[in-house]
Amino acid sequence: MLLARRGLSKIVLATVLAAFPVTTVAAQELNEADIKRLALEAILEKPEILIEALSILQERENVALAEAQTDALSELRDDFEQNAPIFGNLDGSVTLVEFFDYNCGYCRRAAPEVKAVLEASKDVRIIYREFPILGPGSEVAARASLASRNQGKYQQFHEAMMALNGQAVEASVMKIAGDVGLDLEVLKTDMQSDSVSDHIAASLRFAEALGITGTPTFVLGDEIIPGVIERGSLLEKIAELVPE
C-alpha cells in the first residue's frame, strides 16, 4: 500500500507539472512541502488531474501484473498437471486449466460450458485445480473430490457436485459421495492423505504466483481468463492454439 501511494504521488506530481509547467530549475528546488502544496492547489483547480493520475497508475499496475503472470506461467506450466485430475483427450495439443471452488455459483454455471467444450473438441485436455477459497465447506468438498480418484469416481463426483443446489457442506458432500457409489469410510480416510493436501497447497501457491484471486479462472495458452466463459468463445480460443 505504501509503495502504491508513493507511486501515485509521483504520478500526481508528474501530471501536475505537465498541466502547470514550471522550469527545470524550479522543479529541482521544490521540497516536499512545496510539492504537496502545488499538488493540492492543482487538484483543487483541476480535479481531473487525480483521475488521470489514478488511471496512469492502474495502467502501470496492469502491465506489471501481465508481465508477472507471463513469467510465472512459463515457470509453472509443467507443474499444473502434477497430482491433478486430467480429462478430455489426454494427448490433446491444447491444455485448459481450471481453478474452481464447489461453492462458487459461477463455477457451477461454467461447468456445462466446459463439459460441452470437452465433447466438441478432440484437441483439448483439461486439468482440474481444486481451489477451495470460499470457506470450510469448500475444502471438505475439494478433499472429497480429490480423494474420490482413489475409487475411480472423480468425474462422476465432480459433475454431481457442480449440479448441487445449495451450499457444499460436509453433510451435502457426503450425501453426494454416497449417491455416486463411493465407500464413505475409505473416502474419509483418503481425504486426509498427503496427496490431497499437496494438491490444494499447490493450487493456492499457483494462484498466488499468477495473481488469481477468484473462481472460476481458466488458463489457456498464455492467457488467464477470469470468470465464466461461454463454450463458443472458448472453442474459438482453443482453435487458435491447435497446431496446423
Side-chain angles (χ1 to χ4, degrees):
M1 180 63 73
L2 180 58
L3 291 175
R5 288 179 179 174
R6 288 176 179 172
L8 179 59
S9 298
K10 291 179 180 179
I11 293 171
V12 169
L13 176 59
T15 309
V16 167
L17 293 177
F20 300 91
V22 296
T23 66
T24 302
V25 174
Q28 291 175 344
E29 293 176 352
L30 291 174
N31 59 34
E32 185 174 354
D34 292 330
I35 292 172
K36 289 181 178 178
R37 176 180 54 77
L38 180 59
L40 179 58
E41 290 175 357
I43 290 172
L44 290 174
E45 184 173 341
K46 293 184 65 176
E48 62 269 23
I49 286 176
L50 185 58
I51 296 175
E52 182 180 346
L54 287 169
S55 177
I56 293 171
L57 179 63
Q58 184 63 60
E59 183 177 349
R60 289 183 180 179
E61 290 180 345
N62 289 342
V63 170
L65 176 60
E67 292 176 349
Q69 287 178 330
T70 298
D71 292 341
L73 268 177
S74 65
E75 294 179 4
L76 297 174
R77 194 178 304 279
D78 293 337
D79 295 334
F80 287 142
E81 65 183 78
Q82 300 301 315
N83 187 26
I86 305 175
F87 290 89
N89 179 1
L90 300 186
D91 296 319
S93 58
V94 179
T95 298
L96 176 67
V97 184
E98 181 184 7
F99 288 77
F100 66 92
D101 184 308
Y102 287 115
N103 270 323
C104 167
Y106 293 107
C107 296
R108 294 177 187 178
R109 282 176 52 189
E113 304 300 313
V114 172
K115 184 177 181 180
V117 166
L118 291 178
E119 293 173 348
S121 175
K122 303 305 180 185
D123 298 300
V124 66
R125 62 182 192 142
I126 184 168
I127 298 173
Y128 289 117
R129 295 300 323 185
E130 306 271 352
F131 185 42
I133 57 174
L134 298 177
S138 295
E139 181 164 352
V140 170
R143 285 184 172 277
S145 182
L146 291 166
S148 71
R149 290 183 294 173
N150 290 348
Q151 299 183 49
K153 291 186 176 293
Y154 180 90
Q155 191 66 18
Q156 299 95 310
F157 183 81
H158 175 79
E159 292 181 1
M161 286 298 303
M162 284 301 183
L164 174 67
N165 288 318
Q167 287 292 299
V169 295
E170 185 172 2
S172 59
V173 169
M174 290 304 156
K175 181 180 185 308
I176 287 178
D179 290 344
V180 300
L182 287 163
D183 183 316
L184 297 187
E185 293 307 313
V186 172
L187 183 72
K188 290 177 182 178
T189 297
D190 291 342
M191 285 170 63
Q192 305 307 318
S193 69
D194 289 342
S195 175
V196 167
S197 297
D198 289 346
H199 175 103
I200 294 174
S203 292
L204 295 173
R205 186 174 68 253
F206 296 155
E208 182 177 6
L210 295 171
I212 295 173
T213 57
T215 54
T217 296
F218 299 92
V219 179
L220 181 63
D222 293 327
E223 187 176 6
I224 296 176
I225 309 168
V228 179
I229 181 168
E230 295 182 354
R231 65 193 72 178
S233 297
L234 195 51
L235 284 169
E236 288 179 4
K237 291 179 179 292
I238 289 169
E240 293 173 358
L241 297 174
V242 176
E244 295 182 358

